[in-house]
Amino acid sequence: MDVFIGFFDAYCYYIGRLYMIGNLKKELNQIYFFYHIKLYGSFSIAAMKMGVSRSSLMLNIRDLEEYYQVRLINRNTRRFSLTKEGEMLWEYARNIYLNLEKATESLNDFSRVNKGKITVHIPTVLDIPVMYNIFSEYMKIYPEVIIDTIFDDKRIDMIDEGVDLSFHIGDLPDSNYHARQLIYFDTYIVASKDYIEKNGVPQTPNDLINHQCVNFCHCKTGDKWKFKNPETHQYENYKLGNTIKVSSEKALLSFSEQGLGIGSALGFTCRDKIREGLLIPILTEWTYDVPLTLVFISKEFMPARLRNLIKLICDNISIASMYSRNS
């Protein structure tokens, strides 16, 4: 019985809400008619401009008056005038529709014109000149657009956190977002010459369990690294030995260079150290390239400011730009 009563109460509430919403829509429609009657100063002209019959307009005004039990319009066969109540309603209605016009004009501007704000989320490893240069160039071309940049490595909900664009390195998680692949990064497993002389070279990723490693706090696979088996071409996760946790690429490379452990790094961050002999690449047959992807919420109704930034990023991000010290 209690279940039935609960269901009945919920049903009554639902019907009541529908009734309230239906009444509100009806009242807004009637106020819309009232606004245009006053605007054009005539039932007949308002009816013609709105594409409805004169009798329909009169009926809606009569219903509005009956609902609130006030007279809004004094009318006869020759002319009409607003009552005091009608004048009050006209002021409110006029402000509502003027604000609506401003709102729709602003929306049209945002869809066509480059102005407003864009929030971009970027991994800290991409806190590099090529990124600053792209954003600087964009804001010089479109001075009415402000780009807010967030450099961190946490996983985000773009909608909840108001992020328009997000750079993502590696495999994309399942989501309803849209993505544009930019480039692929080569990756390296590296160690210093001193470390290798003291501890030897791991021959396969299975050997990493017996080595000290330097890993990111935000590593998506935790205390494991992902490799591509050169024989099966399958991706496999391998457990690491004792691990030093870091939150930046610079710290990882520094600790690896000082012989504190084996590290994993993107090619553009460690190429110079490899070339100078400060770090030695190992397990090269097992490493693979990872994608850099630009993620955005939707392709539909994308404002011009965002569409043009995506184009500028795609035109300027390249492997060469990542390896350049001054770009």
Side-chain angles (χ1 to χ4, degrees):
M1 185 65 179
D2 290 341
V3 173
F4 174 77
I5 292 172
F7 174 78
F8 181 74
D9 288 345
Y11 175 77
C12 290
Y13 173 79
Y14 176 71
I15 295 299
R17 291 290 297 169
L18 288 179
Y19 178 77
M20 289 172 62
I21 292 169
N23 275 347
L24 179 61
K25 290 173 67 176
K26 183 179 179 182
E27 289 171 48
L28 288 173
N29 201 42
Q30 290 167 344
I31 293 172
Y32 177 73
F33 287 152
F34 170 82
Y35 170 79
H36 283 86
I37 291 166
K38 166 61 179 170
L39 182 68
Y40 295 116
S42 162
F43 278 89
S44 299
I45 296 174
M48 181 181 66
K49 293 284 188 180
M50 298 174 70
V52 298
S53 67
R54 184 175 183 275
S55 60
S56 176
L57 280 187
M58 296 184 71
L59 179 62
N60 273 277
I61 298 304
R62 190 177 301 118
D63 286 347
L64 188 61
E65 290 174 330
E66 287 181 2
Y67 184 80
Y68 287 104
Q69 291 296 292
V70 294
R71 179 175 288 277
L72 299 171
I73 300 175
N74 292 316
R75 49 193 178 273
N76 56 36
T77 54
R78 292 192 173 192
R79 58 188 292 273
F80 80 87
S81 62
L82 298 183
T83 64
K84 289 182 179 179
E85 292 81 3
E87 291 287 354
M88 181 192 71
L89 180 61
W90 160 250
E91 285 301 318
Y92 282 115
R94 187 165 65 92
N95 287 333
I96 289 170
Y97 285 103
L98 285 175
N99 285 328
L100 279 175
E101 286 180 4
K102 289 179 182 177
T104 54
E105 286 173 7
S106 295
L107 287 174
N108 284 329
D109 284 346
F110 274 121
S111 66
R112 296 192 305 264
V113 181
N114 288 278
K115 63 181 180 180
K117 186 175 80 168
I118 301 173
T119 302
V120 187
H121 179 265
I122 310 160
T124 54
V125 70
L126 297 180
D127 191 353
I128 53 178
V130 64
M131 305 302 291
Y132 321 145
N133 293 342
I134 290 172
F135 298 141
S136 297
E137 181 182 349
Y138 179 90
M139 286 186 280
K140 287 177 182 177
I141 298 172
Y142 305 110
E144 291 189 83
V145 180
I146 297 296
I147 298 177
D148 288 348
T149 54
I150 304 169
F151 288 92
D152 69 37
D153 297 300
K154 69 177 184 178
R155 295 187 185 186
I156 62 165
D157 185 307
M158 293 180 65
I159 295 175
D160 285 350
E161 300 186 39
V163 172
D164 301 295
L165 285 179
S166 180
F167 287 82
H168 186 90
I169 298 172
D171 297 332
L172 283 173
D174 292 334
S175 73
N176 294 322
Y177 298 149
H178 294 266
R180 182 86 173 263
Q181 191 170 289
L182 298 173
I183 55 175
Y184 275 86
F185 291 126
D186 50 348
T187 60
Y188 288 91
I189 305 298
V190 292
S192 70
K193 183 178 179 181
D194 286 345
Y195 180 89
I196 290 173
E197 287 177 353
K198 291 177 183 177
N199 301 281
V201 178
Q203 299 302 307
T204 73
N206 272 321
D207 297 332
L208 291 173
I209 193 68
N210 300 315
H211 287 265
Q212 182 155 291
C213 298
V214 187
N215 194 19
F216 290 112
C217 302
H218 53 269
C219 180
K220 295 181 179 67
T221 50
D223 288 329
K224 295 180 180 179
W225 282 344
K226 189 174 181 180
F227 292 90
K228 186 175 182 180
N229 190 307
E231 296 180 359
T232 65
H233 303 291
Q234 298 296 310
Y235 294 100
E236 301 165 352
N237 291 331
Y238 290 87
K239 189 166 178 57
L240 307 178
N242 293 331
T243 305
I244 299 172
K245 295 291 183 66
V246 298
S247 60
S248 76
E249 197 88 12
K250 289 180 180 178
L252 184 145
L253 292 174
S254 177
F255 288 165
S256 299
E257 183 183 338
Q258 296 301 318
L260 296 176
I262 297 172
S264 172
L266 299 176
F268 77 90
T269 67
C270 63
R271 181 191 63 168
D272 290 343
K273 291 182 181 294
I274 291 173
R275 187 170 53 199
E276 293 165 12
L278 300 173
L279 289 172
I280 298 170
I282 58 178
L283 298 173
T284 53
E285 293 182 353
W286 290 79
T287 56
Y288 61 97
D289 295 349
V290 295
L292 173 63
T293 309
L294 193 59
V295 182
F296 44 96
I297 294 170
S298 175
K299 289 191 285 189
E300 291 186 319
F301 311 120
M302 183 182 287
R305 64 182 183 277
L306 189 55
R307 187 169 57 249
N308 289 330
L309 177 57
I310 291 173
K311 184 178 185 307
L312 190 66
I313 290 169
C314 292
D315 289 346
N316 286 274
I317 290 283
S318 66
I319 286 295
S321 69
M322 290 293 175
Y323 277 102
S324 172
R325 289 180 180 271
N326 300 314
S327 63

